[in-house]
């Protein structure tokens, strides 16, 4: 599959129009027809969704960002050294505030080019501009598009040694099948000896996870973020979702070790999605899945990534919080 570089601006390459209708619309349609209906994470991240996500990271109960930042504050110099690579690509870079801690250390060691990949153009442009202006010696080329398009670009633009990083435990937002596809694509971008750094949240059971993934009293960041998926469907496909008809709530699925962010129908509803030529009949209580977060165990993660030709090289884990950064090295193929 090739993705056209349809436009190149100063420091952001538009890989392919993220609003292109084919084949992504068929992905959304298939997901909505599934049981339960599920919406892909990239749909939730327009400028508004990214703002809501930033508000989630500031919730007192959302430990993931805080713990990851703490790990990077303590270990960034060691991680930068172990990572190697004159080019650091990041999947789902978002605001890149935490990545900055790593990049500061990378530029001290070697000239570094940062290649953030994200679907949200506004966040990508502002984080790229901020990093470029504030970190001397850092070159930045943003890659605007989906993970697969960014990885394809990296594969077809070889250069200095490359490291791929995937922070924010976003790797866990993909299903097992999607993760296998992604690791395979990452493996194809990397030469033997190059690095893949991924953060992962470890399973810690229902109470801690449901507290983390629901709004504490007086806050609405998760609710706003989840309901924004319906706004996106209304705007993009002319759907007639009424936001008040749905209750946002996350629950822990112990069998699958996942937290599922859901929108439950308050009453029986029929929703039309003309842009996808789809009508959804939702009985009372039926939910749409708008967030999927896998909780790993370390061995499972090592096996999953290892199956695609990677060897674990180092780990930085906050064992109290049950969250870690895991470094893998690409094997000889
Ligand atoms: C959970 S946020 C994490 C942001 C940041 N890495 C952090 O740790 O705070 C996920 C980010 O990935 C981006 N994203 C989600 N799915 C994507 C996809 N399929 N391709 C490219 N970017 C994606 C979103 O726009 C968002 O910025």
């Amino acid at each position: 599959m090739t993705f056209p570089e349809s436009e190149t601006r100063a420091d952001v390459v538009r890989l392919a129009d993220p609003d292109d209708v084919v084949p992504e619309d068929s992905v959304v349609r298939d997901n909505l027809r599934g049981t339960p209906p599920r919406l892909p994470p990239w749909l939730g991240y327009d400028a508004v969704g990214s703002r809501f996500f930033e508000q989630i990271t500031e919730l007192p109960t959302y430990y993931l960002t805080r713990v990851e930042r703490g790990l990077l504050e303590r270990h960034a110099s060691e991680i930068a050294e172990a990572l190697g690579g004159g080019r650091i690509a990041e999947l789902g870079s978002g605001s890149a505030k935490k990545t900055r801690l790593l990049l500061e250390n990378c530029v001290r060691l070697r000239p570094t080019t940062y290649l953030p990949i994200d679907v949200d153009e506004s966040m990508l442009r502002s984080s790229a501009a901020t990093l470029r202006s504030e970190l001397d010696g850092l070159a930045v080329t943003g890659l605007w598009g989906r993970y697969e398009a960014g990885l394809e670009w990296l594969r077809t633009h070889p250069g200095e040694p490359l490291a791929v990083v995937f922070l924010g435990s976003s790797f866990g937002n993909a299903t097992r099948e999607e993760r296998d596809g992604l690791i395979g694509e990452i493996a194809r971008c990397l030469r033997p000896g190059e690095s893949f750094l991924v953060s992962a949240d470890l399973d810690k059971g229902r109470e801690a996870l449901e507290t983390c993934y629901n709004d504490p009293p007086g806050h609405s960041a998760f609710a706003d973020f989840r309901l924004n998926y319906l706004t996106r469907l209304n705007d993009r496909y002319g759907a007639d979702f009424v936001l008040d008809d749905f209750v946002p709530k996350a629950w822990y699925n112990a069998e699958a070790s996942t937290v599922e962010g859901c929108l439950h129908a308050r009453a029986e509803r029929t929703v039309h999605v003309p842009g996808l030529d789809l009508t959804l009949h939702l009985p009372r209580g039926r939910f749409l899945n708008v967030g999927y977060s896998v909780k790993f165990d370390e061995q499972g993660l090592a096996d999953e990534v290892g199956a695609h030709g990677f060897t674990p090289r180092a780990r930085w884990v906050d064992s109290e919080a049950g969250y870690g950064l895991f470094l893998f090295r690409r094997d000889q193929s």
Side-chain angles (χ1 to χ4, degrees):
M1 181 166 42
T2 53
F3 293 88
E5 271 171 52
S6 45
E7 182 195 348
T8 305
R9 290 198 201 141
D11 57 353
V12 171
V13 176
R14 186 169 114 177
L15 298 163
D17 188 343
D19 285 331
D20 274 352
V21 285
V22 179
E24 287 78 10
D25 286 355
S26 60
V27 174
V28 178
R29 187 187 299 110
D30 290 349
N31 276 267
L32 276 173
R33 281 193 180 130
T35 313
R38 172 178 178 250
L39 291 166
W42 50 262
L43 192 68
Y45 288 93
D46 57 348
V48 174
S50 288
R51 203 171 62 238
F52 290 144
F53 176 73
E54 286 302 300
Q55 290 168 7
I56 290 173
T57 66
E58 286 157 20
L59 291 174
T61 38
Y62 188 79
Y63 60 85
L64 292 91
T65 303
R66 206 170 47 251
V67 172
E68 186 169 282
R69 188 187 309 116
L71 285 169
L72 287 165
E73 280 165 357
R74 290 195 293 285
H75 304 293
S77 148
E78 195 190 334
I79 298 173
E81 193 138 353
L83 206 54
R87 294 182 303 153
I88 310 289
E90 179 173 14
L91 296 168
S93 45
S95 72
K97 285 184 196 152
K98 286 175 275 111
T99 321
R100 185 202 164 107
L101 297 164
L102 191 57
L103 295 170
E104 280 167 3
N105 285 276
C106 291
V107 289
R108 275 190 212 125
L109 294 170
R110 58 188 91 85
T112 302
T113 299
Y114 176 51
L115 299 153
I117 300 166
D118 207 288
V119 278
D120 179 7
E121 181 189 10
S122 55
M123 188 60 106
L124 185 69
R125 284 190 186 280
S126 75
S127 60
T130 304
L131 284 167
R132 214 194 28 206
S133 69
E134 292 183 2
L135 282 188
D136 271 352
L138 185 74
V140 183
T141 300
L143 302 175
W144 173 31
R146 301 213 177 94
Y147 299 145
E148 294 79 2
L151 292 166
E152 172 74 9
W153 188 92
L154 293 172
R155 210 174 55 73
T156 51
H157 292 74
E160 289 292 303
L162 175 69
V164 174
V165 306
F166 207 171
L167 299 180
S169 75
S170 305
F171 182 51
N173 295 144
T175 62
R176 177 63 201 255
E177 195 186 343
E178 291 164 347
R179 295 199 301 279
D180 271 336
L182 272 177
I183 310 170
E185 292 295 324
I186 294 166
R188 277 187 279 284
C189 290
L190 295 176
R191 293 170 288 205
E194 293 181 333
S195 300
F196 172 45
L197 178 75
V198 59
S199 65
D201 193 23
L202 307 177
D203 201 341
K204 49 195 58 77
R206 178 176 311 281
E207 196 183 331
L209 290 169
E210 289 188 352
T211 302
C212 175
Y213 281 87
N214 284 295
D215 285 315
H219 295 267
S220 65
F222 268 116
D224 293 339
F225 178 77
R226 289 176 182 139
L227 287 167
N228 186 51
Y229 277 84
L230 302 186
T231 306
R232 295 276 283 150
L233 290 174
N234 288 349
D235 292 349
R236 194 170 153 135
Y237 300 114
D240 55 3
F241 282 101
V242 175
L243 272 52
D244 280 347
D245 288 350
F246 293 86
V247 184
K249 185 167 168 41
W251 63 284
Y252 172 66
N253 178 345
E255 207 177 312
S257 268
T258 54
V259 179
E260 321 227 344
C262 296
L263 295 170
H264 295 257
R266 285 183 202 274
E268 186 174 339
R269 284 283 174 268
T270 296
V271 181
H272 305 95
V273 194
L276 295 175
D277 197 17
L278 190 70
T279 301
L280 288 173
H281 299 288
L282 301 169
R284 181 166 181 267
R286 170 68 56 82
F287 63 84
L288 304 175
N289 187 318
V290 291
Y292 182 83
S293 300
V294 179
K295 302 300 155 188
F296 291 91
D297 69 74
E298 281 196 53
Q299 190 55 52
L301 179 69
D303 291 345
E304 201 173 310
V305 178
H308 294 269
F310 287 95
T311 301
R313 294 308 295 252
R315 60 192 276 288
W316 297 269
V317 174
D318 182 326
S319 37
E320 201 178 321
Y323 190 98
L325 291 158
F326 301 89
L327 180 70
F328 294 87
R329 191 126 305 161
R330 181 80 174 97
D331 299 334
Q332 298 289 337
S333 37

